[in-house]
Amino acid sequence: SAIADHLFTRLVSEGMRVHRGAIVTSRKPVLTKISKATLFFKTGARAVDMESAAVALVADDGKLPFFVIRAICDTSSRNAPLKFFDMLNPDGSLRWLDLIATVLHTPTLILSLLRMGKSFHSAIAALRTSWRVQMKHGFSSLFDTHYKCSPK
């Protein structure tokens, strides 16, 4: 879309490493390198997303423009242990007692947790930078350029 083209150009011009392509939706986390590679082979998708499809459907129903900016913290080159997800509540918050029990039971997970934490913080930093780039250029201009909206 024209909005995605414009956004992509802005981010690249600011020196951000940006990838563009299809995203596949999954109801369950895709955790292993093999399952990620298989999904890519079957779909060609550059990433797996579990949240954005619902928003995309609502936007489509309302004939509204929609794009997604995602920052990836569990890349295709890394396995993400299922135990990570066993430590999370449905809202994504951490169950601290489960974390402590899991680490005591499987201390080798500490290194994986630290790597995942570092990747997560890098992903959050990339999203912040992306947002700042959009604010610097005027986020609303992204839509104003391509969609003329008038009050009813």
Side-chain angles (χ1 to χ4, degrees):
S1 77
I3 290 177
D5 292 341
H6 193 67
L7 176 62
F8 183 83
T9 301
R10 276 187 185 175
L11 295 174
V12 170
S13 71
E14 291 288 330
M16 292 192 71
R17 188 176 67 175
V18 181
H19 302 277
R20 185 172 177 191
I23 297 174
V24 67
T25 298
S26 175
R27 291 181 186 256
K28 296 179 181 179
V30 181
L31 303 174
T32 67
K33 292 188 271 189
I34 291 171
S35 60
K36 292 171 187 180
T38 301
L39 198 56
F40 174 75
F41 180 74
K42 287 181 179 178
T43 67
R46 300 204 41 105
V48 178
D49 178 280
M50 295 178 61
E51 303 86 14
S52 302
V55 179
L57 288 172
V58 171
D60 188 55
D61 286 348
K63 307 290 187 244
L64 299 170
F66 176 79
F67 62 90
V68 177
I69 298 175
R70 302 298 297 190
I72 308 299
C73 64
D74 59 331
T75 64
S76 60
S77 64
R78 179 181 295 156
N79 289 316
L82 183 59
K83 290 184 181 198
F84 286 172
F85 294 91
D86 292 340
M87 295 181 259
L88 299 175
N89 290 311
D91 68 357
S93 62
L94 186 61
R95 292 196 310 259
W96 286 98
L97 291 177
D98 288 347
L99 169 66
I100 293 166
T102 301
V103 167
L104 289 173
H105 186 262
T106 315
T108 56
L109 279 179
I110 293 173
L111 187 56
S112 294
L113 282 168
L114 292 173
R115 280 192 200 121
M116 185 69 83
K118 182 179 179 187
S119 295
F120 176 77
H121 287 291
S122 294
I124 294 297
L127 288 173
R128 274 193 199 108
T129 300
S130 172
W131 183 252
R132 286 184 185 126
V133 166
Q134 297 316 310
M135 292 297 101
K136 174 180 160 183
H137 293 283
F139 192 74
S140 64
S141 69
L142 191 64
F143 293 99
D144 294 342
T145 303
H146 303 287
Y147 292 92
K148 301 298 181 209
C149 299
S150 58
K152 292 184 178 187

